[in-house]
Amino acid sequence: METPMREPTLDPADWSALRAVFHQAVDDGLAHLQGALDTPVWVAPPGSSKSALYEPLPRTATPAAEVYETFRNHVLPYGVGNVRPAFYGWVHGAGNAEGVLGELMAAFMNCNVGGRAHMANELERVVVDWCKDFTGLPAEASGLLTSGTSMATVLAIATARHVHADGDVGREGVAVAGRGLVGYASTEAHSCIAKAFDLLGLGRNALRAVPVNTAREMDSAALEAMIATDRAAGLKPFMVAATVGTVNTGAIDDIAGIGAIAHREGLWFHVDAAFGIGALFSDAHKAKAAPMARAESIAFDFHKWFQVPYDAGIVLIRDAKAHYETFAGRKEYLASSERGLAAGEPWYCDYGPELSRTFRALKVWFTLKSHGVDGISAIIAKNIAQARYLEDKVAAEPRLELLSPASLNIVCFRYVAPCDTAALNQLNKDIVADLQEAGIAAPSTTTLNGRTAIRVCLANHRTRRQDLDALLAGVLELGARRTAGSVAA
Ligand SMILES: *Cc1c(COP(=O)(O)O)cnc(C)c1O
């Protein structure tokens, strides 16, 4: 008798052994989060771990338990540190355990959310509907989950370009249909807007940098003057991007005022609320942010202040038809049908450049359901109060100087010593690197009016006041140690 041919599969020969690896991994993962309060914020990846990983492409199989062990020893301990409470750099969310559950189960389901009739598609619509609801965009608006605000911005500006071009810019190209298009964002706007202009063929020079006032908010009068100058030169102003929560200082542009100018001038009004979307959930900041409801498009992140694990952002577009027209165009093999698996219209592949898409909505849904808007709002309020606390402490300490007030959740300050600006800038850069390498705290730096700032962004649900006290104590101690020799000399 012939033995039946054993065809290869990637499923394990022994499911129970693999199950044990999974259980261990989930325990380790939860311990990683639970232990986040008691571990150094950052540990530089050691050379030994790097050399353990840089190996030739594996040809033969390795048991999952062994692969997992390599990960556990050489990768897991050396993350960026944003799950830990003393992480204040750039703008990073900390994630949350229930969000991890969503990420894990999305991987198990392994759905492609480009379209078709299945529940992952439906759940993305649920999340998009919730976002339309709290931003105040109408129910007819469209939305798409993205990798983050950078990609969401590309999609928003692509749609604006489609609407304002002279002809079919998607077919004819910008050289024919996009000539003279210019847009506006403040000097404090995120670099992803200029990058989008670049990617969309408009060119970075076509994005005008509008000056800011002393609060680092877009200067509306300058915006109006720049639009007039460009029109007089025969150019075609088509969009304005305002920011709710700038990266440098957390400034919120005059959303109502800029929106009014944009609409009076017939321009597309885009709002970058990457982390500043949190302002909608703060009683103190809501009024300033709420006029984003009048925008043509809004881009923001779930992976920042909403604490959803990386990566997840969204673009919302008021004119769903324009959004569809910008990206639709399926060939015969992607035709949908009235019934069966190829039903389920609209398909998300018609609202962005990607056909195959991950099930991002699940971790967003798990996070919002598990914690509720109340839970997220409490974190936002806590972080804003912590920024005030830090600001007060800095103001009360003569060896520290506040470089920007705590607007929203960001505080910029520096250590001061009797030396010139260049030396002071270097000193503060060194203090930040020292804090990171010692695992005490992970702020980042920025430059404000030529002065290097220690920049603290509070967007982490695990941060406690004692962590901020430790940060300040660390800055003072390291600053004193670094200046001890040079000041005496
Ligand atoms: C983080 C950020 C972006 C970019 O978002 P990603 O999710 O990192 O792509 C854009 N604008 C602002 C204001 C940001 O803070």
Side-chain angles (χ1 to χ4, degrees), residues 15 27 39 77 86 98 111 159 171 186 209 226-227 234 259 270 282 288 322 340 363 368 373 382 411 431 475:
W15 279 99
D27 281 344
T39 33
E98 290 83 352
C111 291
T159 309
R171 276 183 193 284
S186 89
M226 289 166 87
I227 294 171
H270 174 73
S282 155
K288 254 194 125 178
K363 60 190 171 186
L368 292 176
V373 166
K382 174 181 92 163
V411 183
I431 290 173
V475 169

Side-chain angles (χ1 to χ4, degrees), residues 245-259:
T246 61
V247 181
N248 264 340
T249 65
I252 302 177
D253 284 336
D254 174 10
I255 300 302
I258 296 165

Side-chain angles (χ1 to χ4, degrees), residues 88-91 186-191 212-217 243-253 272 274-276 304 387 402-413 443-458:
Y88 316 112
W90 307 278
V91 189
S186 89
T187 50
E188 292 290 296
H190 194 272
S191 48
V212 292
N213 61 22
T214 50
R216 294 182 177 263
E217 299 157 359
T243 306
V244 175
T246 61
V247 181
N248 264 340
T249 65
I252 302 177
D253 284 336
D272 176 349
F275 67 92
K304 287 177 177 168
L402 198 65
L403 294 183
S404 81
S407 57
L408 217 53
N409 59 335
I410 295 176
V411 183
C412 292
F413 65 98
S444 56
T445 61
T446 191
T447 306
L448 301 173
N449 303 323
R451 293 179 288 190
T452 297
I454 300 173
R455 180 180 161 287
V456 176
C457 175
L458 293 149

Side-chain angles (χ1 to χ4, degrees), residues 281-298:
F281 300 90
S282 155
D283 290 338
H285 297 87
K286 191 179 160 97
K288 254 194 125 178
M292 75 169 77
R294 294 201 281 276
E296 269 62 53
S297 55
I298 304 173

Side-chain angles (χ1 to χ4, degrees), residues 45 69 80 86 100 109 124 134 142 147 171 184 206 215 240 269 287-288 290 322 406 414 426 428 440 466 482:
E69 205 49 32
V80 74
V100 174
M109 284 184 77
E124 183 155 342
F134 69 69
S142 54
S147 53
R171 276 183 193 284
Y184 308 84
V240 182
F269 179 42
K288 254 194 125 178
R414 66 175 176 175
Q426 190 55 49
N428 280 278
I440 297 169
Q466 71 209 62
R482 279 201 167 265

